[in-house]
Amino acid sequence: PLDCDIVRDRLRQQQTSLGLTAKDVIDWTVTSSSTDKKGITYLYIEQSAHGLPIHGAVASFAVRSGEVVSFGDRLCRDA
């Protein structure tokens, strides 16, 4: 849950620069997560719209010590 908050905060902070709507940054679910030996947690999310997952609309985050250290996305804008 804490890492989910970090991801949500990061998306909100970069909402405008990423071209995302307010709905885009909150309508997603974590599809998988894992933590490596160095303590980096990798989270993968899938975006939804109207309660349904959007095929291929995904993002990945690497979180270390409460901070996103890497991020990549293929989220749909204004879904």
Side-chain angles (χ1 to χ4, degrees):
L2 178 60
D3 290 329
C4 290
D5 292 339
I6 293 166
V7 165
R8 187 171 287 110
D9 289 346
R10 175 65 176 259
L11 287 172
R12 284 181 179 151
Q13 290 168 358
Q14 295 192 329
Q15 175 180 332
T16 302
S17 64
L18 293 171
L20 298 170
T21 66
K23 182 88 169 136
D24 294 335
V25 301
I26 62 168
D27 203 1
W28 50 265
T29 58
V30 174
T31 56
S32 67
S33 67
S34 62
T35 302
D36 69 13
K37 294 177 184 177
K38 296 179 183 178
I40 299 172
T41 300
Y42 300 91
L43 288 108
Y44 302 88
I45 66 169
E46 181 175 52
Q47 187 180 14
S48 300
H50 310 289
L52 300 171
I54 302 171
H55 179 75
V58 296
S60 61
F61 299 81
V63 178
R64 179 178 47 211
S65 301
E67 188 174 323
V68 175
V69 295
S70 179
F71 163 71
D73 86 282
R74 294 189 318 221
L75 298 173
C76 290
R77 277 54 181 165
D78 198 17

